[in-house]
């Protein structure tokens, strides 16, 4: 068995790599001087490459200096795009009139700083500003700003503040951290929102504490009253009391709501103020409880937990985490069961249903990782990082996004590209095999494992929007959100979609952050900035209410086959049952919070 390797912790002194063409050595030295003045450890990579592209993930920030002479070098363009795919945070800077798109697609996806019109002290001031940026915090900053604006639009009341104490304190730390950022500084609304959330979360905690105290006193009085009554009447009615106690125990076991109601009645009959107990118990009965939280220890350390999936039987949950680590948790206990380092940076993955193999798209392209032996097999080194991927039960067939199309790899048959091209919306393993959803204008192509076969085509509405979001469920149900409208296509008996895309009757007020459909195709989970995560009844077009309310900005929703819903926001993941919730005012006895585990090493084999 491979020896576990520890995950490297972030250093106190951030590391910066400055990449430049040989003709831009002067600009590179300017950048190095500014970075050193800001307390950064600097690695100059000028002219002939001195650092392998895959090693870019070791640096906290990679600055790529762009000029017209530099991008004329095909070798330089290929090198900086490879770096952009592997690096954690990239800041392109142009120093003349070249256009950012000339640098290639992987570099062009980042905002390019323009230093072409300044020189001398003004340019050095620009370099100083660049190295004071908190680029890695921009996603969290933008999410917090959206929440603050929503709070302000709705009158600035308590209803839209952050109630969780830990999340509120993290928002305040984020505001403080971004205060010195030159380009993304928090405004008064954000500062007021963060401060108000911290104060409100503290009030909520105090209120719950005293509510629990009042409930405890009320319960103690009820117990004393009942005990006194039993002692007083035991001499005359022992058998009757024994029978009543037996019935009461049975009711508590099979109908806790009824037992709670009778307890409130007893308190009222005894002259006890039962209002606090009743309010607390009713809140507990109505609340959708989170069964477990995973990745919490990572977020506390400043790391992330990204997209995740359930195992086929729903007993385990696997997710991408910092440093290219694939982590697995036991759903019943929230304890981490395994961890593997499968890439040097960000990656997407799919688990085979037998649990033995993971298909990963990371810095090495498309690879198969043997989770039992800790070895990897490279399938296609050219597959872009974070490409969507799906694998069948035993990973003998894998479907992967390859830019504007999908390709299917089969054991012994190699990799074959599909003829259908466009924007790849989803790649999924369904009950009838691997499927992909590809948008081409007003048409959705449903591509199967036989990539040479003609795909099933579904027509989008004539007034379809620029941005379309879509997923395919395990039973083949397709859910699409187009310009706020939710559309559904149900699979027929022959595997086609005879009714096409039909409107559900539900709209979203803003663009989805995440979208998922349940294993039986009856329920969708859609996450938006304004409304959080909502569960939608796809058969009747009903909004079933909010889910995963303890977590905000959910980007990665995922259903299991047994009715669990995971909601991840890039920091941690809350897992909730979509069945009836636990009637209590505290975390259920079965709820767990995970702790960390060290990943096993993964070796490279042919």
């Amino acid at each position: 068995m491979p020896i576990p390797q520890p995950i490297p912790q972030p250093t106190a002194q951030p590391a910066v790599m400055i990449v430049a063409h040989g003709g831009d050595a002067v600009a590179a030295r300017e950048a190095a001087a500014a970075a050193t003045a800001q307390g950064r450890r600097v690695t100059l990579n000028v002219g002939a490459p001195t650092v392998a592209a895959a090693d870019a993930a070791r640096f906290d920030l990679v600055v790529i200096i762009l000029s017209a002479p530099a991008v004329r070098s095909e070798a330089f363009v290929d090198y900086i795009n490879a770096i952009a795919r592997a690096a954690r945070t990239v800041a392109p800077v142009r120093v003349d009139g070249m256009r950012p798109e000339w640098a290639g697609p992987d570099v062009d996806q980042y905002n390019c700083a323009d230093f072409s019109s300044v020189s001398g002290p003004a340019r050095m001031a620009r370099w100083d500003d660049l190295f004071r940026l908190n680029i890695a915090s921009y996603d969290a900053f933008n999410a917090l700003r959206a929440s603050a604006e929503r709070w302000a639009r709705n009158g600035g009341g308590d209803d839209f503040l952050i109630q969780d104490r830990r999340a509120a304190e993290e928002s305040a730390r984020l505001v403080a951290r971004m205060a010195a950022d030159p380009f993304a500084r928090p405004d008064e609304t954000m500062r007021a929102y963060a401060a108000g959330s911290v104060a409100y979360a503290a009030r909520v905690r105090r209120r719950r504490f005293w509510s629990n105290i009042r409930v405890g006193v009320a319960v103690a009085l009820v117990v004393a009253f009942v005990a006194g009554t039993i002692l007083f009447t035991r001499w005359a009615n022992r058998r009757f009391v024994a029978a009543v106690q037996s019935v009461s125990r049975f009711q508590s076991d099979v109908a806790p709501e009824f037992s709670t109601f009778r307890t409130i009645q007893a308190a009222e009959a005894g002259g006890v103020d039962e209002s606090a107990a009743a309010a607390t118990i009713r809140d507990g009965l109505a609340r959708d409880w989170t069964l477990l939280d995973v990745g919490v220890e990572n977020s506390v350390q400043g790391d992330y937990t990204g997209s995740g999936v359930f195992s086929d039987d729903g007993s385990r949950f696997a997710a991408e985490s910092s440093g290219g680590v694939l982590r697995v948790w036991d759903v019943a206990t929230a304890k981490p069961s395994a961890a593997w380092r499968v890439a040097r940076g960000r990656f997407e993955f799919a688990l085979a249903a037998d649990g033995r193999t993971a298909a990963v798209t990371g810095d090495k392209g498309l690879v198969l990782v043997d989770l039992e032996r800790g070895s990897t097999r490279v399938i296609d080194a050219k597959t872009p990082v974070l490409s969507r991927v799906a694998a069948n039960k035993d990973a003998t067939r894998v479907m992967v996004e390859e830019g504007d199309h999908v390709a299917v790899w089969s054991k012994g048959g190699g990799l074959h590209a599909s003829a259908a091209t466009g924007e790849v919306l989803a790649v999924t393993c369904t009950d009838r095999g691997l499927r992909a959803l590809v948008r081409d204008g007003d048409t959705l192509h449903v591509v199967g494992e036989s990539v040479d076969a003609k795909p099933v085509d579904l027509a989008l509405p004539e007034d379809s929007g620029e941005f379309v979001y879509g997923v395919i469920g395990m039973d083949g149900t397709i859910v699409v959100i187009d310009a706020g409208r939710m559309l559904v296509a149900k699979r027929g008996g022959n595997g086609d979609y005879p009714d096409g895309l039909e409107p559900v009757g539900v709209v979203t007020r803003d663009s989805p952050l995440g979208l998922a459909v349940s294993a039986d195709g009856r329920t969708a989970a859609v996450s938006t900035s304004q409304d959080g995560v909502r569960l939608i009844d796809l058969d009747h077009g009903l909004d079933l209410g909010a889910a995963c309310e303890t977590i905000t900005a959910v980007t990665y929703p995922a259903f299991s086959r047994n009715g669990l819903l995971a909601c991840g926001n890039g920091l941690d993941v809350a897992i909730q049952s979509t069945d009836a919730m636990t009637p209590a005012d505290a975390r259920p006895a079965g709820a767990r919070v995970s702790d960390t585990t060290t990943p096993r090493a993964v070796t490279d084999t042919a």
Side-chain angles (χ1 to χ4, degrees):
M1 178 178 294
I3 301 174
Q5 300 294 323
I7 300 177
Q9 299 298 315
T11 58
Q13 187 181 21
V16 176
M17 178 169 67
I18 299 170
V19 183
H21 188 263
D24 297 319
V26 173
R29 287 194 293 270
E30 291 176 354
T36 302
Q38 295 289 340
R40 309 290 181 106
R41 290 188 295 110
V42 178
T43 297
L44 274 174
N45 189 355
V46 180
T50 59
V51 177
D55 292 337
R58 295 189 293 106
F59 297 90
D60 299 283
L61 175 65
V62 175
V63 176
I64 300 177
I65 298 176
L66 302 174
S67 66
V71 298
R72 292 192 190 102
S73 169
E74 183 176 346
F76 181 74
V77 170
D78 290 343
Y79 178 61
I80 62 176
N81 277 270
I83 282 181
R85 289 193 296 271
R88 289 181 286 170
T89 306
V90 176
V93 177
R94 63 172 183 155
V95 295
D96 62 15
M98 64 81 62
R99 296 175 60 180
E101 58 267 26
W102 295 349
D106 296 296
V107 176
D108 189 37
Q109 68 175 313
Y110 295 95
N111 291 327
C112 185
D114 185 2
F115 284 27
S116 62
S117 60
V118 293
S119 60
R123 184 148 136 175
M124 288 304 298
R126 286 273 186 95
W127 284 118
D128 289 338
D129 287 343
L130 177 68
F131 290 109
R132 287 191 290 115
L133 297 178
N134 288 294
I135 298 175
S137 300
Y138 277 9
D139 287 344
F141 177 82
N142 292 332
L144 181 64
R145 179 169 57 190
S147 297
E149 291 172 353
R150 178 189 177 195
W151 168 71
R153 284 197 306 270
N154 287 275
D158 291 346
D159 291 344
F160 292 89
L161 292 173
I162 303 172
Q163 298 187 21
D164 181 73
R165 178 178 60 86
R166 185 176 56 198
E169 291 174 351
E170 175 56 32
S171 71
R173 287 192 292 269
L174 178 62
V175 167
R177 189 163 63 246
M178 300 299 289
D181 192 282
F183 301 113
R185 293 181 180 176
D187 55 18
E188 287 299 327
T189 299
M190 293 181 67
R191 283 193 285 270
Y193 176 73
S197 294
V198 171
Y200 181 61
R203 292 199 303 272
V204 169
R205 191 180 185 192
R206 288 194 298 270
R207 211 163 39 233
R208 287 176 179 170
F209 173 78
W210 288 112
S211 178
N212 290 338
I213 293 294
R214 289 194 293 270
V215 171
V217 172
V219 170
L221 292 175
V222 170
V223 171
F225 172 76
V226 174
T229 302
I230 292 174
L231 290 174
F232 179 74
T233 60
R234 181 177 293 177
W235 62 273
N237 206 7
R238 183 182 299 273
R239 296 188 63 182
F240 174 76
V241 170
V244 171
Q245 289 175 334
S246 177
V247 172
S248 177
R249 284 194 298 271
F250 175 78
Q251 290 173 340
S252 296
D253 291 339
V254 301
E257 299 91 345
F258 178 76
S259 178
T260 299
F261 173 70
R262 294 304 300 268
T263 301
I264 297 173
Q265 282 188 318
E268 183 178 12
V272 178
D273 179 10
E274 86 295 349
S275 59
T280 301
I281 292 170
R282 287 166 191 155
D283 287 345
L285 293 174
R287 182 169 180 178
D288 292 345
W289 286 102
T290 297
L291 298 182
L292 65 152
D293 297 294
V294 299
V296 177
E297 69 285 346
N298 296 339
S299 63
V300 170
Q301 297 170 4
D303 295 335
Y304 62 82
T305 299
S307 61
V309 296
F310 287 96
S311 62
D312 196 57
D313 61 0
S315 64
R316 293 172 298 154
F317 182 77
E320 176 213 8
S321 61
S322 295
V325 176
L326 173 61
R327 295 187 184 277
V328 179
W329 289 267
D330 185 280
V331 171
T333 63
K335 293 186 179 299
S337 60
W340 298 268
R341 192 180 302 280
V342 299
R344 290 193 176 96
R346 299 298 305 274
F347 64 92
E348 282 285 347
F349 74 99
L351 286 181
D354 62 12
R356 299 176 180 177
T357 309
V360 176
T361 57
D363 60 300
K364 298 177 183 177
L366 171 61
V367 300
L368 292 182
V369 180
D370 188 323
L371 301 181
E372 294 181 334
R373 300 177 182 176
S375 60
T376 64
R377 175 185 179 183
V378 178
I379 300 302
D380 181 19
K382 297 181 180 180
T383 299
V385 176
L386 297 177
S387 293
R388 295 176 177 88
V389 63
N392 69 343
K393 180 177 180 179
D394 54 2
T396 55
R397 291 190 301 278
V398 176
M399 179 176 281
V400 64
E401 174 187 2
E402 296 277 0
D404 64 348
H405 65 280
V406 294
V408 174
W409 172 86
S410 58
K411 188 175 182 180
L415 195 68
H416 297 280
S418 69
T421 60
E423 179 187 3
V424 180
L425 302 181
V427 178
T428 309
C429 180
T430 72
D431 295 335
R432 295 193 180 182
L434 303 173
R435 297 290 184 271
L437 199 61
V438 180
R439 182 197 182 187
D440 182 10
D442 292 335
T443 302
L444 287 181
H445 302 298
V446 184
V447 181
E449 291 183 15
S450 300
V451 292
D452 296 330
K454 186 179 185 302
V456 176
D457 291 341
L458 300 174
L460 289 167
E462 293 182 357
D463 58 343
S464 61
E466 180 180 358
F467 300 104
V468 174
Y469 306 83
V471 293
I472 307 177
M474 299 176 194
D475 72 333
T477 298
I478 295 174
V479 178
V480 172
I481 294 183
D482 175 15
R485 299 165 296 191
M486 181 173 285
L487 310 171
V488 174
K490 293 284 188 177
R491 189 173 62 185
N494 296 323
D496 57 356
Y497 296 88
D499 298 326
L501 287 168
E502 295 285 341
V504 177
V506 174
V507 297
T508 61
R509 293 193 292 171
D510 53 356
S511 298
L513 299 174
L515 180 63
V517 59
S518 61
D520 58 8
R522 299 176 57 190
T523 309
V526 56
S527 169
T528 63
S529 296
Q530 294 191 57
D531 298 320
V533 180
R534 310 296 298 185
L535 293 182
I536 307 298
D537 182 339
L538 296 177
D539 293 331
H540 305 95
L542 298 177
D543 186 334
L544 301 177
C548 298
E549 294 181 276
T550 60
I551 189 169
T552 60
V554 172
T555 311
Y556 308 111
F559 281 99
S560 72
R561 288 186 180 273
N562 58 349
L564 298 179
L565 173 64
C567 298
N569 62 1
L571 293 176
D572 49 22
V573 180
I575 297 180
Q576 172 182 319
S577 172
T578 54
D579 297 331
M581 301 302 166
T582 305
D585 188 49
R587 182 182 289 272
R592 298 289 185 270
V593 176
S594 70
D595 49 22
T596 191
T597 188
T598 302
R600 288 181 249 165
V602 174
T603 60
D604 294 333
T605 59

